[in-house]
């Protein structure tokens, strides 16, 4: 997951494991979270399923990173939930396809 980790590190987005006491925790669940600082800066975190296998974790991080990069987790996003999910799925699928090609295709 090093390429995804590097991107998240570059954007100052920590990737953390979901804990059982979180509302959104559960098998296969992942989410991005935004906190607005008193200075007006957005600080994001991505939470993933700690029990998922490597490729599922990669997919979860890519999907949630898509939400962040596409502006879905900021307040005031005008897209409907289904539209945001579709955009994040396309982002993640494209990203994962490139990772798989790199890992298995010999780039």
């Amino acid at each position: 997951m090093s390429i995804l980790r590097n991107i998240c590190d570059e954007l100052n987005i920590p990737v953390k494991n979901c804990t059982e006491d979180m509302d959104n925790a559960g098998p296969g669940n992942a989410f991005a979270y935004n906190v607005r600082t008193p200075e007006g800066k957005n600080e994001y975190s991505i939470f993933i399923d700690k029990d998922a296998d490597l490729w599922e974790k990669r997919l979860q991080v890519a999907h949630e990173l898509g939400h962040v990069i596409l502006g879905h987790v900021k307040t005031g996003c005008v897209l409907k939930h289904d539209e945001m999910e579709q955009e994040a799925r396309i982002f993640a699928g494209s990203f994962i396809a490139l990772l798989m090609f790199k890992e298995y295709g010999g780039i």
Side-chain angles (χ1 to χ4, degrees):
M1 190 163 37
S2 63
I3 293 171
L4 283 166
R5 179 74 65 189
N6 290 343
I7 292 169
C8 289
D9 287 347
E10 193 71 30
L11 296 172
N12 295 316
I13 302 171
V15 177
K16 305 174 182 179
N17 289 324
C18 289
T19 58
E20 293 172 11
D21 60 334
M22 293 178 156
D23 290 339
N24 294 340
N29 285 358
F31 59 97
Y33 189 74
N34 174 34
V35 174
R36 193 144 176 100
T37 66
E39 297 80 29
K41 183 180 178 224
N42 290 308
E43 291 185 353
Y44 302 100
S45 295
I46 293 174
F47 294 87
I48 60 173
D49 178 5
K50 66 179 177 57
D51 297 322
D53 66 34
L54 178 62
W55 281 102
E56 179 64 24
K57 286 180 180 181
R58 287 174 173 171
L59 183 60
Q60 289 176 2
V61 172
H63 180 92
E64 298 308 328
L65 186 60
H67 280 304
V68 172
I69 289 173
L70 296 167
H72 299 165
V73 291
K74 291 182 181 176
T75 54
C77 183
V78 296
L79 294 176
K80 295 177 184 170
H81 177 75
D82 291 346
E83 293 170 326
M84 291 188 292
E85 284 303 308
Q86 183 66 18
E87 283 187 352
R89 285 186 194 112
I90 292 168
F91 180 94
S94 300
F95 200 100
I96 293 301
L98 292 171
L99 283 179
M100 290 182 84
F101 185 72
K102 181 175 187 262
E103 189 159 325
Y104 299 110
I107 290 181

